[in-house]
Amino acid sequence: MPDYNLHTKIEFLKGVGPQRADLLKTELGIFTFGDLLLHYPFRYVDKTQFHKIRDITTEGATVQLKGVIRRLDTAGGGRKMRLVAKFKDDTGYIDLVFFKGISWVQKKLVPGVEYVVYGKVSQFGRNFNIVHPELEPVTAANLQEVSSLQPVYPTTGKLDGKGLDTKGIRKLQKILNNRLKEIDLPETLPAYLLEKMRIPGRKQAMLDIHFPKDFAVLQQAQNRLKFEELFFLQLRLLQIRSRRKNAIKGHVFETVGEHFTRFYNEKLEFELTGAQKRVVKEIRNDMGHGKHMNRLLQGDVGSGKTVVGLLCMLLALDNGFQACLMAPTEILAQQHYISITESLKGLGIQVGFLSGSVKGKKRKQLLQFLQEGIIQILIGTHALIEDWVEFENLGLAIIDEQHRFGVAQRASLWKKGRVSPPHVLVMTATPIPRTLAMTAYGDLDVSVIDELPPGRKNVETLHKNETNRMRVFGFMREQIKAGRQVYVVYPLIEESEAEAFEDLNNLMAGYEAISKDFPPPEYQISIVHGRMKPADKDFEMQRFVKGETQIMVATTVIEVGVNVPNASLMVIENTERFGLSQLHQLRGRVGRGSDQAYCILMSSFKLSHDARTRIETMCRTNNGFEIAEVDMNLRGPGNIEGTQQSGIVNLRMADLAKDGRILQTARELAARIIEDDSEFDKPIHAPLKAYMATVGKAKGWSRIS
Ligand code: ADP
Ligand code: MG
């Protein structure tokens, strides 16, 4: 008997010649038996049920019938010629109609032989018929196979041409399935997990996923494979985390000292929300015990992340360390600097500011103070991570609005610690669904602020179109009269030059229309877009920040972080062109003051289903986490902003939008194992050790990502 295994080259499978093998490799990345096995069906056609002809009452239904052909006739002539087979079961007759390949079908179909017929019912006058049904003669051997769940496989046009359509691939899978009985397919999960999860073994699941006997069996197989996939992913992420924590000695912040206490008691003007308190506690726990912290802090816009970050920085100071806060833009960094120096006034804490615009003598002085430890908190842009910036003793680095920074930038902060890396806290205002956070940032600790400070009003959000234009302008006028400011936002998507050009035109046209309706000197308008020089952009932005202009016409460059509490209305143009998380992010620019804020979503009349869902979601809720869930359902987990850079894995079987519970369980179980036996040395964990050793080594089969 030939010695097959999962690494056997695909050309050695019966039915696959060199030509087909090449296609399978180039089109589907299938090189080995194991790869083919991992080419899962993406759906199943239910052929477990047989219908009766008598029960066919609606057009469009897909039915499976069992019976015999009584007669074959041709009807019509020329191009209208068709072949009609009178098909009968024990309840009645139905016509099977063929327009193409008539002579071939005629030869193949034999009256009197029993067939299984599968197809879609159409109505023809008062009668029903089935056009071009699938037909299989019934034999004792295939009856079971015919009446089952039939797997449907992803293919490509090129494969179809070589007989490797879904039916062709199904045939190969069948051959492989039969081979599999002789192939060694080791179990990867410890026995106690199989028992605990009540899932079948690996081999059984692999057999069943392709040819399930029924839905119950299919579900078992799917559960097993989903669990396995998510479990190993979590195991790997948590192992990375555990190894890092063990390898890096974290600075110990054990004391809660004067800085923290005085700020908390004397300066803090509000009570922290429950969520803020919880997160501060989580972070203190991390930093208090000599483990290195690498934490993601998620919180919706306005949830109060800054003060949490500030408290942590004070904790660093209390323990003799410096801290820094890095923001993605100059404006944001400045805003942080201003508000933080303001709130620390009188505490005798030295705060410095560094960005590309700090130059010459000023910069030299700053860098010296930093090196000597005179500056205790440094706030700035990515200038902070330049090589020539040296701290005396950096203990904590905070990154605000993380998705603007790459992983590399995050990593270069690590080098800023003198003896060992600083604790790192990454704050993001782009909430991502929990399941996604666990996966994309699964090697980090994640904290969530899921509560807004009390008294916060939702931004009232309305959907309007061009016929409401004058009323929208009227509303803008009202807001401005009341002393408020207004954003008008246009898309500027730079996917292609042509698109960008058209967007820019739209923006300018909009600007002109607004200028006409809001003339000077009564009204002043700012305009900002990504194609302007940074200096001009900053200048315009500052005019709006200072209240010199009442209307800001802009593209999404204002998306991140600008804080103008006096702005109470945002009008978004061509809303259908924005993504959901982007809309949420934009809307976060208003409602930062105590006034009721509004967001008007302008769109055309005709909207795609997805666009409608996005707009409805925005009108329905202000909750960023809820919005993120909808976004993930619409776009799939791989496309969610804030996760691209993390190299999120492509899952074959599990779906982060649907399999949250399995994921949660997988993570908990993985965490328990890592805590107990992080290198899988215990005998019961032998399968894990074996499997993890192959991860990343072999291509394809043992790849989990
Ligand atoms: P974000 O999470 O978007 O960065 P900020 O930290 O900028 O939010 O906070 C938004 C505003 O809410 C700030 O003006 C801040 O002072 C205020 N704030 C933060 N926490 C609270 C709280 N617990 N109670 C009241 N106001 C708060
Ligand atoms: Mg913020």
Side-chain angles (χ1 to χ4, degrees):
M1 194 173 65
D3 192 10
Y4 293 109
N5 64 47
L6 292 170
H7 303 288
T8 304
K9 293 210 180 84
I10 195 68
E11 43 265 54
F12 296 124
L13 189 71
K14 198 173 147 235
V16 183
Q19 223 184 21
R20 281 181 160 192
D22 276 351
L23 268 179
L24 285 171
K25 287 173 198 170
T26 52
E27 293 292 293
L28 297 175
I30 294 173
F31 290 81
T32 63
F33 281 23
D35 290 337
L36 182 62
L37 198 56
L38 285 180
H39 189 64
Y40 298 142
F42 68 96
R43 67 186 178 90
Y44 300 81
V45 176
D46 183 2
K47 295 200 169 175
T48 58
Q49 305 291 324
F50 284 99
H51 302 86
K52 295 289 179 194
I53 292 176
R54 184 182 54 207
D55 298 332
I56 293 176
T57 51
T58 47
E59 198 178 16
T62 302
V63 294
Q64 178 170 246
L65 308 168
K66 192 163 54 167
V68 292
I69 291 172
R70 279 293 144 125
R71 287 172 35 198
L72 286 167
D73 296 305
T74 50
R79 289 170 61 205
K80 286 200 172 156
M81 178 145 115
R82 57 193 187 274
L83 177 70
V84 180
K86 279 249 172 285
F87 183 76
K88 174 186 182 301
D89 70 3
D90 49 15
T91 69
Y93 283 90
I94 192 166
D95 285 349
L96 311 178
V97 185
F98 300 85
F99 297 99
K100 284 191 240 159
I102 290 178
S103 56
W104 188 76
V105 177
Q106 213 161 11
K107 254 182 265 159
K108 216 180 140 206
L109 294 185
V110 188
V113 170
E114 204 178 9
Y115 286 98
V116 171
V117 167
Y118 183 84
K120 202 169 175 184
V121 175
S122 20
Q123 195 160 5
F124 187 72
R126 294 176 59 196
N127 295 320
F128 294 106
N129 64 28
I130 303 178
V131 178
H132 286 282
E134 288 175 30
L135 278 149
E136 296 268 354
V138 175
T139 63
N142 80 358
L143 186 57
Q144 195 204 344
E145 191 177 315
V146 169
S147 59
S148 66
L149 288 175
Q150 270 199 2
V152 180
Y153 293 94
T155 65
T156 67
K158 272 192 187 164
L159 286 167
D160 281 0
K162 287 280 177 243
L164 288 176
D165 54 1
T166 190
K167 212 166 160 185
I169 292 187
R170 193 185 301 145
K171 265 190 197 146
L172 296 185
Q173 294 285 11
K174 194 77 210 172
I175 295 166
L176 179 65
N177 229 249
N178 289 329
R179 278 264 166 277
L180 212 57
K181 287 163 192 139
E182 336 154 352
I183 286 178
D184 183 33
L185 211 165
E187 179 56 57
T188 54
L189 294 171
Y192 77 91
L193 279 186
L194 295 183
E195 220 165 282
K196 190 179 183 78
M197 295 298 297
R198 298 187 193 182
I199 47 178
R202 182 149 212 243
K203 189 159 182 170
Q204 193 58 50
M206 283 294 192
L207 288 165
D208 288 343
I209 200 69
H210 292 285
F211 298 100
K213 192 167 87 271
D214 55 39
F215 276 109
V217 165
L218 173 61
Q219 197 171 21
Q220 287 274 312
Q222 284 173 332
N223 279 346
R224 149 81 206 204
L225 296 174
K226 283 176 179 182
F227 175 78
E228 172 186 312
E229 187 170 42
L230 295 170
F231 172 79
F232 278 111
L233 183 58
Q234 291 303 324
L235 204 62
R236 195 173 55 166
L237 289 165
L238 292 169
Q239 192 181 43
I240 291 171
R241 183 173 79 157
S242 145
R243 282 180 177 167
R244 189 178 56 220
K245 275 190 195 289
N246 291 331
I248 302 170
K249 241 175 77 85
H251 305 298
V252 187
F253 297 174
E254 49 193 355
T255 330
V256 176
E258 192 195 322
H259 294 308
F260 187 98
T261 322
R262 277 193 65 196
F263 174 78
Y264 200 91
N265 293 335
E266 298 168 25
K267 290 293 194 173
L268 197 58
E269 286 161 356
F270 41 75
E271 173 92 10
L272 292 184
T273 62
Q276 284 171 319
K277 283 183 190 163
R278 173 171 45 76
V279 170
V280 170
K281 213 182 262 167
E282 283 168 7
I283 295 172
R284 271 189 50 194
N285 245 337
D286 264 10
M287 300 191 304
H289 297 101
K291 296 260 172 179
H292 179 255
M293 177 177 83
N294 201 359
R295 184 174 286 272
L296 177 74
L297 174 56
Q298 283 204 75
D300 221 331
V301 191
S303 60
K305 293 181 290 294
T306 316
V307 70
V308 169
L310 182 56
L311 285 166
C312 297
M313 293 202 279
L314 295 175
L315 211 56
L317 268 50
D318 278 340
N319 289 276
F321 292 93
Q322 292 165 296
C324 71
L325 170 62
M326 179 161 85
T329 65
E330 173 100 24
I331 292 191
L332 253 183
Q334 264 167 17
Q335 280 181 354
H336 274 315
Y337 176 70
I338 291 164
S339 76
I340 286 175
T341 34
E342 179 63 30
S343 54
L344 294 180
K345 216 182 234 166
L347 296 182
I349 295 171
Q350 297 304 316
V351 184
F353 178 81
L354 179 65
S355 76
S357 66
V358 179
K359 293 193 176 110
K361 245 199 187 141
K362 230 171 147 188
R363 167 180 290 197
K364 225 175 136 193
Q365 175 95 94
L366 182 92
L367 291 177
Q368 194 189 333
F369 284 169
L370 196 62
Q371 242 176 17
E372 290 169 358
I374 293 169
I375 287 183
Q376 295 158 287
I377 292 178
L378 182 65
I379 295 170
T381 60
H382 51 267
L384 289 190
I385 54 175
E386 300 286 344
D387 282 342
W388 33 264
V389 179
E390 278 176 41
F391 291 82
E392 197 233 355
N393 195 8
L394 181 66
L396 170 68
I398 300 182
I399 306 177
D400 196 16
E401 311 290 0
Q402 112 96 19
H403 66 283
R404 298 277 149 156
F405 290 111
V407 175
Q409 284 165 311
R410 229 198 308 158
S412 53
L413 261 178
W414 282 48
K415 298 187 213 128
K416 296 287 173 198
R418 203 183 39 176
V419 263
S420 58
H423 295 296
V424 175
L425 180 67
V426 171
M427 307 198 291
T428 170
T430 315
I432 56 175
R434 240 170 52 84
T435 54
L436 199 51
M438 268 194 259
T439 318
Y441 298 105
D443 61 329
L444 306 185
D445 308 296
V446 177
S447 285
V448 176
I449 304 186
D450 50 6
E451 183 185 350
L452 293 181
R456 233 13 106 65
K457 294 193 191 86
N458 278 339
V459 177
E460 204 173 299
T461 304
L462 307 158
H463 180 201
K464 298 284 169 200
N465 53 52
E466 212 45 52
T467 53
N468 311 115
R469 174 66 64 189
M470 282 308 126
R471 299 219 357 237
V472 172
F473 276 9
F475 189 56
M476 286 168 62
R477 224 167 267 128
E478 262 174 49
Q479 290 292 307
I480 294 170
K481 196 171 269 162
R484 307 281 109 75
Q485 288 164 284
V486 178
Y487 292 104
V488 182
V489 184
Y490 283 83
L492 205 176
I493 297 163
E494 312 233 341
E495 303 249 283
S496 73
E497 202 50 36
E499 231 175 351
F501 184 71
E502 200 184 312
D503 282 346
L504 206 56
N505 272 346
N506 275 339
L507 172 78
M508 295 323 278
Y511 174 69
E512 257 154 50
I514 293 167
S515 303
K516 251 188 221 132
D517 265 65
F518 296 85
E522 196 182 350
Y523 300 100
Q524 300 293 330
I525 307 175
S526 285
I527 178 164
V528 171
H529 57 81
R531 300 243 155 155
M532 287 163 72
K533 285 196 197 116
D536 297 343
K537 218 159 58 180
D538 273 359
F539 177 77
E540 281 296 317
M541 211 91 106
Q542 286 303 344
R543 292 213 306 149
F544 189 69
V545 171
K546 288 185 208 143
E548 292 169 12
T549 57
Q550 299 99 345
I551 301 175
M552 158 78 88
V553 178
T555 59
T556 50
V557 291
I558 59 156
E559 182 185 336
V560 161
V562 203
N563 190 15
V564 181
N566 192 45
S568 62
L569 169 61
M570 174 173 286
V571 179
I572 299 179
E573 301 287 343
N574 296 114
T575 305
E576 62 270 40
R577 300 206 28 221
F578 290 92
L580 198 43
S581 74
Q582 203 174 21
L583 287 172
H584 176 63
Q585 200 68 30
L586 281 168
R587 181 171 60 181
R589 299 301 107 213
V590 292
R592 302 173 82 78
S594 48
D595 300 301
Q596 176 62 51
Y598 305 89
C599 179
I600 297 177
L601 305 173
M602 302 293 285
S603 81
S604 56
F605 295 98
K606 270 189 95 175
L607 292 173
S608 69
H609 172 266
D610 280 11
R612 194 165 289 283
T613 307
R614 291 197 295 269
I615 291 174
E616 279 168 6
T617 305
M618 287 297 291
C619 293
R620 187 187 74 234
T621 178
N622 272 243
N623 182 325
F625 287 95
E626 201 180 324
I627 289 170
E629 293 280 346
V630 177
D631 200 22
M632 181 164 79
N633 284 323
L634 289 178
R635 294 198 295 160
N639 294 312
I640 301 300
E641 203 173 338
T643 63
Q644 286 103 340
Q645 290 164 337
S646 60
I648 182 167
V649 285
N650 289 316
L651 297 167
R652 280 176 192 277
M653 183 57 76
D655 178 346
L656 293 180
K658 296 196 190 112
D659 299 320
R661 276 188 35 208
I662 302 180
L663 173 60
Q664 181 67 35
T665 310
R667 184 164 175 98
E668 279 164 18
L669 291 169
R672 234 177 276 167
I673 291 172
I674 292 292
E675 203 166 296
D676 167 50
D677 182 21
S678 67
E679 301 299 324
F680 321 120
D681 292 324
K682 293 192 175 173
I684 46 163
H685 294 147
L688 300 180
K689 189 152 188 126
Y691 182 71
M692 292 292 273
T694 66
V695 171
K697 271 190 196 156
K699 197 179 162 304
W701 166 244
S702 48
R703 186 170 55 199
I704 61 170
S705 60

